[in-house]
Amino acid sequence: MSAQNPGFDAAEIDKLKQKIAQQKNSFVLVDTEDNNDEYKHFRFTGMYEGKEVIYDAVIYTLRLHHASEVYELAEHKAAQKFPNFKPIKFQEDENGDLRTLDNVEEEIGLYIAEMIDDIEDEELVKVQEHVDMDNGGEYGIGLDIGLNVDEVDDEVMNKFVADFNEDNLKLDDTLYSFVSDEEEYDVD
């Protein structure tokens, strides 16, 4: 691995280990606005090819992963249907309110919503638990983790770190499909 990657540097590893030792968890949360109940960015130490390294990881629920994949597919279908397609960017006006979408954006948005419903109804997207490793990143070894849990909390993360570091991780290979929780907005 590259000497420029600080995730392989002994001093950097020791710094992270000290931070971890000062708390009750086996990891340190990376301070980012993306962290929420279903997604966390965190770091922990472990072994890689016989050497101690820092793992720079994101962990998320399969429900969130599924929703992201469904939205991406719906956007792709919208791009095929609308020649001037641009992803919808919600913007705030000077009062902090969301700017109204123009007619084309609204039409695209409605089409995307319709495609999401169709994709979910037909179960076109299925996801499964996974851990993808990236050893070519800029900081340590990257891990992309999707687990079939309702929420990503400290307990889930501590269990993952322990199982991963003890080479005891058992992933469920079942394929899952989810439906959005927006039934209450249905006006049929």
Side-chain angles (χ1 to χ4, degrees):
M1 290 298 113
S2 167
Q4 297 114 294
N5 186 329
F8 293 90
D9 179 67
E12 190 79 9
I13 294 167
D14 283 342
K15 255 196 317 194
L16 181 61
K17 286 170 91 172
Q18 286 172 17
K19 279 185 190 173
I20 291 170
Q22 294 169 5
Q23 56 170 7
K24 63 179 175 34
N25 293 315
S26 56
F27 60 87
V28 169
L29 213 51
V30 175
D31 188 20
T32 172
E33 63 186 37
D34 293 333
N35 288 339
N36 60 53
D37 288 346
E38 292 194 78
Y39 174 97
K40 297 280 191 315
H41 183 181
F42 68 108
R43 292 185 176 139
F44 65 97
T45 61
M47 299 301 285
Y48 179 76
E49 294 183 346
K51 294 186 178 102
E52 193 168 35
V53 299
I54 293 174
Y55 285 97
D56 185 32
V58 295
I59 187 169
Y60 43 84
T61 66
L62 283 187
R63 176 176 289 283
L64 180 66
H65 180 50
H66 181 266
S68 175
E69 295 288 320
V70 166
Y71 188 81
E72 198 173 298
L73 181 56
E75 254 192 352
H76 178 72
K77 288 177 179 279
Q80 291 174 322
K81 178 174 172 69
F82 295 92
N84 302 352
F85 174 81
K86 285 189 210 92
I88 296 172
K89 300 229 185 315
F90 293 97
Q91 299 171 344
E92 293 181 1
D93 63 18
E94 62 278 356
N95 299 324
D97 297 323
L98 283 181
R99 178 183 62 79
T100 308
L101 298 176
D102 66 31
N103 289 344
V104 172
E105 289 173 322
E106 195 168 321
E107 186 181 353
I108 291 170
L110 289 171
Y111 183 78
I112 288 174
E114 190 180 308
M115 289 300 94
I116 288 172
D117 284 344
D118 290 350
I119 292 165
E120 288 179 346
D121 288 347
E122 296 173 30
E123 295 187 357
L124 295 178
V125 173
K126 296 190 185 294
V127 294
Q128 69 187 124
E129 289 190 332
H130 62 273
V131 176
D132 297 327
M133 189 177 293
D134 176 13
N135 59 8
E138 294 177 19
Y139 190 88
I141 303 287
L143 293 179
D144 185 85
I145 307 151
L147 297 179
N148 189 26
V149 293
D150 291 330
E151 184 179 340
V152 176
D153 58 15
D154 289 354
E155 183 181 341
V156 167
M157 295 165 69
N158 281 313
K159 180 175 178 1
F160 172 83
V161 170
D163 289 346
F164 182 84
N165 278 338
E166 293 164 14
D167 203 20
N168 199 23
L169 191 62
K170 305 272 187 280
L171 296 176
D172 179 1
D173 62 1
T174 305
L175 292 171
Y176 292 94
S177 193
F178 298 89
V179 177
S180 300
D181 289 335
E182 297 176 17
E183 308 316 319
E184 63 266 22
Y185 303 115
D186 219 3
V187 281
D188 287 333

